[in-house]
């Protein structure tokens, strides 16, 4: 195999050009095989194989800098930098990350995981290069979906001030995770399909090439901002920003990509190379269903089907069902997603109520303020966003929603530890962030039925309200305990003595296991389902203090500013005397691995919690 000759960075440069198509095929076969066993980002990686190969032929790594937006398309890059043999541990605890990590390789220039920040980071590197007088190349690869994010526009606006070469690769596959939406998508579509432009361009180039010195003239027209495309499309978006535009080109043709890169490298200043690719290329199921294969679990290569044996409903599935029902019952309920209709479970709502569904693109800040406007217009907006992505709209939540006390519902999916995507995707900061927002109400369900009840409560409530729930299968026990949701009130799961487990959301499941362990040592703990983090149930805590000497506050979020710390502070103010153990995540980022493994690492598993409780009594 040709792929076996790639053992370290730049080995690809020793492969003959007539073998590149074979190498690309082998890389795709390798990726399909490994991801089918481990899961991971498939379609996005299959779509950039030739593009990544061309970049490795063009660049001198690690001297030159290559930055991937989001980073989920970096698998070929990892193979070409000598990490192929580590793919057995891809996204596993202690193994290879699914995203670029500077700690893994000096060829990974920037740790990424979220969208639309790559141009800003690369532009900063370019400014540093100018200040230092260095001469290395800087290339950033950004998808057309990521260009819907406002931060990318801010960086493009700033890029025109650069006087040295800086190459932006626009990986245009007409997709983000789901299909792209909005004006930019239509604009790019026009550039791809403008028949008049293509016909005129081909005619002019053919005529020039027939003349002596015509080749040089064609090359000059390609490089200049007054080139052929300016004649046909005089108001091109990128050119008007001061960014030279090159393309569109075939992102699966390595010689063509290299030619465009060489042209781009001659430009003094920022230049955008527009390449058209096919997401999922080389694997028919991924080509047909690129959204489903964007991030996939293990699957059968022959059929493309993920094997689920007796799969339980996920929290996202429950949310999807509730939204469909609420949309049918209440014509004022509207739904908003930031390019994640499938991931957040809003696809069914969008199909049933297309006029009340809004996909705003990869722009969480806009999504939140857009929701504020809908609320002022008399509607009940539900903004469904992953926890780690919602962080980017922190200011808008405070200034545009909470400050005006508007009825906006935040459905926060992937809250807590999410597993194999690692540091950039764990939703561990939302509790602390939302606790600091005046007028915000924050809930989390103990099981799938309570998620349904909480969403109904949120829709009927008048004010900002957030419901957070974890990734994965929904807890389906405790169905018989289903007290009505009352504002700021918790719920007793089981009554005991001495130790009170005050568990928030997903930690109720853990609390039940902690109880089983402690009972073997003679303890009989009380379990309380907190339900609300803001406002939390101080009356319940005061009642518990009457016949319990230890309160264990359990939350799947960071300790600093979280539920436990806030309870301790309020207990001191109210002169409530009871020892408190806050079970939360210490001040750290968490790497990738399975949820069970990571729970043990951060001390949220039942053995760790029970051990802390027994140690508390042992030490008196």
């Amino acid at each position: 195999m040709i792929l076996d000759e790639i053992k370290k960075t730049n080995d690809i440069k020793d492969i003959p050009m007539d073998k590149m198509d074979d190498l690309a095929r082998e890389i795709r076969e390798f990726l399909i095989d490994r991801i089918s066993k481990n899961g991971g980002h498939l379609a996005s990686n299959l779509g950039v194989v030739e593009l990544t190969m061309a970049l490795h032929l063009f660049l001198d790594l690690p001297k030159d800098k290559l930055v991937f937006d989001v980073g989920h398309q970096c698998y070929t890059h990892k193979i070409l930098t000598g990490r192929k043999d580590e793919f057995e541990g891809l996204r596993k605890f202690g193994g290879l990350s699914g995203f670029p990590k500077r700690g893994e390789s000096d060829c990974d220039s920037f740790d990424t995981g979220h969208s639309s920040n790559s141009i800003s980071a690369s532009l900063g590197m370019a400014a540093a290069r100018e200040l230092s007088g260095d001469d290395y190349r800087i290339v950033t690869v950004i998808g057309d979906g990521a260009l819907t994010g406002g931060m990318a526009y801010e960086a493009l606006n700033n890029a025109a001030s650069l006087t040295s070469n800086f190459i932006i690769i626009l990986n245009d596959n007409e997709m983000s995770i789901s299909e792209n939406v909005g004006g930019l998508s239509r604009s790019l579509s026009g550039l791809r399909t403008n028949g008049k432009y293509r016909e005129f361009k081909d005619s002019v180039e053919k005529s020039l090439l027939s003349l002596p010195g015509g080749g040089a003239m064609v090359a000059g027209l390609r490089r200049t901002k007054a080139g052929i495309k300016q004649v046909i499309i005089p108001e091109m978006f990128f050119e008007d920003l001061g960014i030279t535009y090159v393309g569109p080109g075939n992102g699966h043709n390595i010689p063509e990509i290299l030619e465009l890169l060489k042209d781009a490298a001659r430009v003094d200043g920022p230049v955008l190379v527009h390449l058209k690719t096919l997401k999922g290329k080389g694997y028919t199921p991924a080509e047909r269903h690129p959204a489903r294969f964007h991030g996939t679990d293990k699957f059968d290569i022959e059929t493309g089907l993920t094997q689920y044996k007796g799969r339980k409903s996920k929290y996202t599935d429950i949310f999807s069902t509730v939204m469909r029902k609420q949309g049918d019952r209440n014509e004022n309920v509207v739904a908003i997603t930031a390019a994640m209709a499938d991931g957040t479970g809003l696809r069914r709502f969008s199909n049933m109520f297309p006029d009340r569904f809004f996909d705003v693109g990869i722009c969480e800040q806009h999504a939140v303020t857009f929701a504020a406007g809908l609320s002022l217009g008399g509607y009940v907006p539900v903004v469904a966003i992953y926890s780690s992505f919602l962080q980017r709209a922190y200011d808008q939540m405070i200034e545009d929603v909470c400050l005006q006390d508007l009825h906006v519902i935040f459905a926060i999916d992937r809250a807590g530890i999410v597993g194999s995507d690692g540091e950039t995707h764990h939703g561990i900061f939302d509790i602390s962030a939302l606790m600091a927002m005046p007028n915000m109400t924050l809930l989390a369900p103990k099981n799938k039925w309570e998620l349904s009840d909480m969403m109904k409560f949120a829709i009927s409530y008048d004010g900002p309200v957030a419901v957070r729930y974890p990734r994965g299968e929904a807890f389906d026990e405790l169905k018989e305990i289903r007290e009505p949701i009352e504002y700021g009130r918790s719920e007793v799961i089981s009554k005991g003595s001495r130790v009170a487990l005050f568990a928030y959301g997903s930690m109720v499941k853990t609390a039940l296991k902690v109880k089983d362990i402690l009972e073997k040592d003679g303890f009989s703990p009380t379990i309380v389902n907190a339900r609300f983090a803001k406002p939390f149930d101080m009356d319940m805590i005061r009642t518990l203090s009457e016949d319990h000497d230890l309160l264990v506050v359990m939350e799947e979020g960071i300790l600093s500013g979280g539920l436990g710390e806030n309870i301790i502070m309020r207990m001191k103010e109210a002169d409530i005397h009871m020892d408190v153990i806050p079970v939360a995540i210490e001040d750290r980022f968490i790497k990738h691995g399975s949820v069970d493994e990571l729970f043990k690492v951060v001390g949220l598993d039942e053995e760790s919690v029970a051990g802390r409780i027994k140690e508390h009594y042992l030490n008196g």
Side-chain angles (χ1 to χ4, degrees):
M1 287 181 63
I2 301 172
L3 186 55
D4 291 337
E5 299 178 33
I6 306 295
K7 300 183 183 302
K8 64 182 184 303
T9 304
N10 294 319
D11 277 354
I12 188 175
K13 294 179 180 179
D14 296 328
I15 307 297
M17 282 299 296
D18 62 359
K19 299 293 184 181
M20 288 298 164
D21 287 344
D22 292 332
L23 178 58
R25 175 182 52 77
E26 290 181 10
I27 289 174
R28 284 195 170 89
E29 291 173 352
F30 176 85
L31 290 174
I32 293 167
D33 176 69
R34 291 301 184 272
I35 298 172
S36 72
K37 297 173 181 175
N38 292 338
H41 292 98
L42 181 63
S44 53
N45 281 289
L46 294 179
V48 297
V49 172
E50 290 87 359
L51 169 56
T52 307
M53 291 169 61
L55 285 169
H56 275 252
L57 290 168
F58 174 70
L59 296 172
D60 179 17
L61 297 174
K63 176 186 176 183
D64 295 335
K65 309 302 177 188
L66 175 59
V67 177
F68 290 96
D69 200 275
V70 185
H72 53 231
Q73 75 282 56
C74 71
Y75 291 7
T76 299
H77 167 73
K78 294 201 175 197
I79 291 171
L80 297 178
T81 50
R83 286 173 271 180
K84 176 174 71 72
D85 293 342
E86 299 177 52
F87 268 72
E88 290 292 340
L90 177 68
R91 292 160 38 97
K92 294 180 180 179
F93 184 68
L96 198 67
S97 170
F99 294 89
K101 295 294 176 187
R102 291 182 302 132
E104 278 186 11
S105 169
D106 55 4
C107 294
D108 291 2
S109 301
F110 196 80
D111 290 2
T112 53
H114 283 190
S115 168
S116 308
N117 64 349
S118 61
I119 301 176
S120 296
S122 300
L123 189 58
M125 293 178 184
R129 180 189 59 192
E130 286 188 356
L131 288 170
S132 302
D134 293 325
D135 62 353
Y136 53 84
R137 299 187 193 278
I138 299 172
V139 177
T140 187
V141 179
I142 185 169
D144 50 329
L147 279 183
T148 62
M151 189 174 179
Y153 288 103
E154 295 170 14
L156 288 171
N157 182 59
N158 185 222
S161 62
L162 197 69
T163 57
S164 59
N165 181 255
F166 167 43
I167 299 174
I168 303 166
I169 304 292
L170 174 56
N171 173 34
D172 177 8
N173 56 27
E174 303 180 56
M175 294 282 293
S176 48
I177 293 177
S178 301
E179 296 81 359
N180 284 332
V181 297
L184 178 65
S185 178
R186 290 192 293 271
S187 176
L188 289 176
S189 179
L191 288 176
R192 301 179 204 112
T193 60
N194 190 310
K196 181 181 177 184
Y197 160 63
R198 288 179 177 276
E199 182 180 340
F200 182 83
K201 173 179 176 290
D202 292 343
S203 176
V204 170
E205 288 189 355
K206 184 177 180 179
S207 298
L208 288 174
L209 289 171
S210 67
L211 300 174
M217 294 175 66
V218 169
L221 282 171
R222 286 177 176 172
R223 292 194 297 270
T224 178
K225 291 166 69 173
I228 296 172
K229 59 180 66 64
Q230 289 297 103
V231 176
I232 306 302
I233 313 173
E235 295 181 355
M236 283 186 58
F237 173 73
F238 299 109
E239 299 274 358
D240 287 345
L241 282 175
I243 300 171
T244 300
Y245 174 92
V246 177
N250 181 355
H252 300 297
N253 185 312
I254 292 176
E256 182 176 342
I257 298 170
L258 287 172
E259 193 64 33
L260 291 172
L261 288 172
K262 291 174 184 176
D263 285 348
R266 298 187 183 101
V267 176
D268 291 328
V271 54
L272 184 139
V273 180
H274 183 180
L275 297 174
K276 186 74 174 69
T277 62
L278 175 64
K279 194 169 184 178
K281 182 176 174 59
Y283 183 52
T284 301
E287 290 182 11
R288 292 176 177 173
H289 308 285
R292 180 158 65 86
F293 281 93
H294 171 79
T296 180
D297 293 325
K298 301 176 184 180
F299 63 92
D300 180 78
I301 295 177
E302 185 173 341
T303 65
L305 297 177
T306 304
Q307 300 299 317
Y308 292 113
K309 294 183 179 180
R311 183 178 78 88
K312 297 180 180 179
S313 295
K314 296 182 178 181
Y315 278 104
T316 305
D317 300 328
I318 305 302
F319 170 75
S320 176
T321 300
V322 172
M323 284 299 295
R324 179 186 61 78
K325 292 180 178 179
Q326 291 301 308
D328 193 46
R329 296 168 185 170
N330 187 339
E331 63 182 12
N332 287 328
V333 170
V334 297
I336 302 167
T337 182
M340 297 289 288
D342 294 301
T344 60
L346 286 177
R347 181 62 68 190
R348 293 166 70 190
F349 187 96
S350 71
N351 291 337
M352 291 189 67
F353 315 103
D355 293 340
R356 289 188 275 148
F357 170 76
F358 303 93
D359 186 342
V360 299
I362 306 178
C363 39
E364 289 80 4
Q365 295 167 306
H366 166 62
V368 171
T369 304
F370 177 67
L374 278 164
S375 178
L376 286 168
Y379 287 88
V380 181
V382 178
V383 185
I385 299 180
Y386 291 3
S387 174
S388 67
F389 298 160
L390 189 62
Q391 295 163 184
R392 297 188 283 184
Y394 187 82
D395 178 70
Q396 287 70 27
M397 294 177 75
I398 294 175
E399 296 292 326
D400 299 333
V401 175
C402 290
L403 182 62
Q404 301 183 81
D405 199 17
L406 298 179
H407 187 194
V408 175
I409 300 165
F410 298 97
I412 307 176
D413 202 335
R414 271 65 166 178
I417 294 174
V418 299
S420 53
D421 282 336
E423 298 102 318
T424 55
H425 284 62
H426 293 307
I428 61 176
F429 301 104
D430 58 275
I431 299 175
S432 298
L434 296 172
M435 291 285 279
M437 298 182 185
N439 294 327
M440 178 61 75
T441 296
L442 178 56
L443 306 92
K446 68 178 183 289
N447 58 21
K448 64 181 185 180
W449 296 284
E450 196 161 69
L451 174 57
S452 177
D453 294 342
M454 285 183 174
M455 284 304 303
K456 295 172 186 175
F457 170 86
I459 289 170
S460 64
Y461 180 76
D462 187 14
V465 57
V467 181
R468 72 185 306 263
Y469 44 94
R471 181 181 188 176
E473 293 182 351
F475 188 46
D476 60 358
E477 297 180 22
L478 303 177
K479 183 180 181 180
E480 69 282 0
I481 303 175
R482 194 174 181 179
E483 296 180 9
I485 306 291
E486 294 183 34
Y487 182 76
R489 295 297 182 186
S490 58
E491 172 190 64
V492 176
I493 302 296
S494 63
K495 189 70 172 71
S497 61
R498 296 191 68 189
V499 181
L501 306 177
F502 196 76
Y504 182 52
S506 60
M507 295 303 291
V508 170
K509 178 181 178 180
T510 303
L512 293 172
K513 297 177 182 178
V514 172
K515 179 176 181 290
D516 291 340
I517 294 173
L518 291 178
E519 285 179 338
K520 295 176 183 178
D521 291 308
F523 292 94
S524 179
T526 293
I527 298 179
V528 176
N529 170 24
R531 283 188 164 175
F532 288 80
K534 185 175 184 183
F536 53 82
D537 193 347
M538 276 300 294
D539 289 340
M540 176 62 74
I541 293 171
R542 185 175 288 104
T543 299
L544 291 171
S545 70
E546 295 173 358
D547 54 3
H548 294 76
D549 51 55
L550 178 63
L551 179 69
V552 183
V553 183
M554 303 170 61
E555 59 188 310
E556 194 178 344
I558 60 168
L559 175 64
S560 180
L563 177 60
E565 281 200 350
N566 276 274
I567 286 177
I568 291 171
M569 179 183 67
R570 288 285 303 280
M571 285 176 63
K572 289 180 179 179
E573 292 174 352
D575 199 29
I576 297 175
H577 300 286
M578 185 169 37
D579 290 337
V580 181
I581 295 178
V583 174
I585 299 167
E586 296 289 346
D587 186 18
R588 63 182 297 183
F589 290 103
I590 307 168
K591 294 187 179 297
H592 55 279
S594 72
V595 172
D596 288 343
E597 288 171 325
L598 297 178
F599 260 51
K600 292 179 181 179
V601 169
V602 299
L604 295 185
D605 64 298
E606 61 271 18
E607 294 286 350
S608 298
V609 177
R612 290 182 65 182
I613 294 169
K614 288 187 281 188
E615 183 180 0
H616 172 84
Y617 283 102
L618 183 65
N619 294 334

